[in-house]
Short mmCIF file of all heavy atoms in Angstrom, two decimals:
data_model
loop_
_atom_site.label_atom_id
_atom_site.label_comp_id
_atom_site.label_asym_id
_atom_site.label_seq_id
_atom_site.Cartn_x
_atom_site.Cartn_y
_atom_site.Cartn_z
N GLN A 15 0.33 5.17 -1.63
CA GLN A 15 0.47 6.46 -0.91
C GLN A 15 1.38 7.39 -1.66
O GLN A 15 1.06 8.54 -1.84
CB GLN A 15 1.06 6.14 0.45
CG GLN A 15 0.71 7.19 1.49
CD GLN A 15 0.94 6.63 2.87
OE1 GLN A 15 0.78 5.42 3.15
NE2 GLN A 15 1.40 7.48 3.78
N ASP A 16 2.47 6.82 -2.18
CA ASP A 16 3.39 7.67 -2.96
C ASP A 16 2.73 8.15 -4.25
O ASP A 16 2.87 9.34 -4.64
CB ASP A 16 4.65 6.90 -3.34
CG ASP A 16 5.54 6.63 -2.15
OD1 ASP A 16 5.32 7.33 -1.11
OD2 ASP A 16 6.40 5.72 -2.21
N LEU A 17 1.97 7.25 -4.88
CA LEU A 17 1.30 7.67 -6.14
C LEU A 17 0.32 8.80 -5.93
O LEU A 17 0.27 9.75 -6.68
CB LEU A 17 0.55 6.43 -6.73
CG LEU A 17 1.41 5.48 -7.52
CD1 LEU A 17 0.54 4.30 -7.97
CD2 LEU A 17 2.07 6.16 -8.76
N ILE A 18 -0.45 8.70 -4.85
CA ILE A 18 -1.39 9.76 -4.49
C ILE A 18 -0.60 11.06 -4.22
O ILE A 18 -0.98 12.10 -4.76
CB ILE A 18 -2.25 9.40 -3.27
CG1 ILE A 18 -3.15 8.24 -3.61
CG2 ILE A 18 -3.07 10.57 -2.78
CD1 ILE A 18 -3.86 7.61 -2.40
N ASN A 19 0.39 10.97 -3.44
CA ASN A 19 1.22 12.16 -3.14
C ASN A 19 1.76 12.82 -4.40
O ASN A 19 1.77 14.05 -4.52
CB ASN A 19 2.44 11.74 -2.33
CG ASN A 19 2.25 12.13 -0.87
OD1 ASN A 19 1.50 13.07 -0.60
ND2 ASN A 19 2.86 11.46 0.02
N GLU A 20 2.18 12.00 -5.38
CA GLU A 20 2.79 12.57 -6.54
C GLU A 20 1.81 12.94 -7.60
O GLU A 20 2.22 13.60 -8.61
CB GLU A 20 3.83 11.50 -7.12
CG GLU A 20 5.10 11.40 -6.26
CD GLU A 20 5.78 10.05 -6.49
OE1 GLU A 20 5.46 9.42 -7.51
OE2 GLU A 20 6.55 9.70 -5.63
N SER A 21 0.56 12.61 -7.48
CA SER A 21 -0.39 12.89 -8.61
C SER A 21 -0.51 14.39 -8.78
O SER A 21 -0.59 15.16 -7.82
CB SER A 21 -1.75 12.25 -8.33
OG SER A 21 -2.27 12.83 -7.19
N GLU A 22 -0.51 14.81 -10.08
CA GLU A 22 -0.47 16.24 -10.34
C GLU A 22 -1.81 16.85 -10.72
O GLU A 22 -1.94 18.06 -10.79
CB GLU A 22 0.59 16.53 -11.42
CG GLU A 22 1.96 16.32 -10.87
CD GLU A 22 3.03 16.83 -11.80
OE1 GLU A 22 2.71 17.23 -12.91
OE2 GLU A 22 4.21 16.83 -11.35
N ASN A 23 -2.75 15.97 -11.03
CA ASN A 23 -4.06 16.55 -11.40
C ASN A 23 -5.19 15.57 -10.98
O ASN A 23 -4.91 14.44 -10.67
CB ASN A 23 -4.10 16.91 -12.91
CG ASN A 23 -3.79 15.69 -13.75
OD1 ASN A 23 -4.34 14.62 -13.54
ND2 ASN A 23 -2.79 15.83 -14.63
N LEU A 24 -6.43 16.10 -11.12
CA LEU A 24 -7.58 15.33 -10.63
C LEU A 24 -7.76 14.01 -11.47
O LEU A 24 -8.22 13.02 -10.87
CB LEU A 24 -8.82 16.23 -10.80
CG LEU A 24 -8.86 17.38 -9.76
CD1 LEU A 24 -9.92 18.40 -10.15
CD2 LEU A 24 -9.19 16.80 -8.33
N LYS A 25 -7.40 14.10 -12.73
CA LYS A 25 -7.58 12.91 -13.56
C LYS A 25 -6.65 11.75 -13.05
O LYS A 25 -7.13 10.64 -12.89
CB LYS A 25 -7.18 13.30 -14.97
CG LYS A 25 -8.08 12.59 -16.02
CD LYS A 25 -7.91 13.23 -17.36
CE LYS A 25 -7.90 12.26 -18.53
NZ LYS A 25 -7.44 12.84 -19.71
N ASP A 26 -5.44 12.10 -12.83
CA ASP A 26 -4.46 11.06 -12.33
C ASP A 26 -4.93 10.54 -10.95
O ASP A 26 -4.84 9.28 -10.70
CB ASP A 26 -3.07 11.70 -12.16
CG ASP A 26 -2.45 11.91 -13.47
OD1 ASP A 26 -3.02 11.55 -14.47
OD2 ASP A 26 -1.36 12.59 -13.52
N LEU A 27 -5.41 11.42 -10.11
CA LEU A 27 -5.87 11.00 -8.79
C LEU A 27 -7.05 10.03 -8.87
O LEU A 27 -7.07 9.02 -8.18
CB LEU A 27 -6.26 12.28 -7.97
CG LEU A 27 -6.65 11.96 -6.50
CD1 LEU A 27 -5.46 11.43 -5.72
CD2 LEU A 27 -7.25 13.20 -5.85
N GLU A 28 -7.95 10.36 -9.84
CA GLU A 28 -9.12 9.50 -9.97
C GLU A 28 -8.68 8.10 -10.47
O GLU A 28 -9.21 7.11 -10.03
CB GLU A 28 -10.10 10.18 -11.00
CG GLU A 28 -11.32 9.35 -11.40
CD GLU A 28 -12.20 9.01 -10.22
OE1 GLU A 28 -12.01 9.61 -9.12
OE2 GLU A 28 -13.13 8.20 -10.40
N LYS A 29 -7.67 8.09 -11.29
CA LYS A 29 -7.19 6.79 -11.77
C LYS A 29 -6.65 5.93 -10.65
O LYS A 29 -6.93 4.75 -10.55
CB LYS A 29 -6.06 7.08 -12.83
CG LYS A 29 -6.26 6.19 -14.11
CD LYS A 29 -5.09 6.16 -15.06
CE LYS A 29 -4.68 7.31 -15.82
NZ LYS A 29 -3.57 7.53 -16.48
N ILE A 30 -5.90 6.64 -9.73
CA ILE A 30 -5.41 5.89 -8.61
C ILE A 30 -6.49 5.40 -7.65
O ILE A 30 -6.50 4.30 -7.16
CB ILE A 30 -4.39 6.78 -7.83
CG1 ILE A 30 -3.24 7.18 -8.72
CG2 ILE A 30 -3.85 6.08 -6.56
CD1 ILE A 30 -2.49 8.37 -8.23
N ARG A 31 -7.53 6.28 -7.55
CA ARG A 31 -8.67 5.91 -6.64
C ARG A 31 -9.34 4.64 -7.19
O ARG A 31 -9.67 3.72 -6.44
CB ARG A 31 -9.71 7.05 -6.60
CG ARG A 31 -10.76 6.89 -5.56
CD ARG A 31 -11.94 7.81 -5.67
NE ARG A 31 -12.70 7.61 -6.85
CZ ARG A 31 -13.57 6.63 -7.01
NH1 ARG A 31 -13.82 5.78 -6.06
NH2 ARG A 31 -14.21 6.50 -8.20
N VAL A 32 -9.48 4.61 -8.56
CA VAL A 32 -10.13 3.41 -9.13
C VAL A 32 -9.26 2.17 -8.92
O VAL A 32 -9.74 1.08 -8.66
CB VAL A 32 -10.42 3.66 -10.64
CG1 VAL A 32 -10.93 2.40 -11.30
CG2 VAL A 32 -11.46 4.79 -10.78
N GLU A 33 -7.92 2.39 -9.06
CA GLU A 33 -7.03 1.25 -8.85
C GLU A 33 -7.13 0.63 -7.45
O GLU A 33 -6.92 -0.53 -7.22
CB GLU A 33 -5.57 1.74 -9.06
CG GLU A 33 -5.09 1.55 -10.54
CD GLU A 33 -3.72 2.06 -10.72
OE1 GLU A 33 -2.78 1.66 -9.96
OE2 GLU A 33 -3.51 2.84 -11.65
#
Side-chain angles (χ1 to χ4, degrees):
Q15 205 163 326
D16 289 344
L17 280 177
I18 292 170
N19 255 335
E20 286 157 19
S21 64
E22 289 192 353
N23 55 51
L24 289 164
K25 217 165 141 194
D26 289 352
L27 183 67
E28 175 62 10
K29 228 190 293 165
I30 300 160
R31 191 192 65 79
V32 172
E33 271 178 49

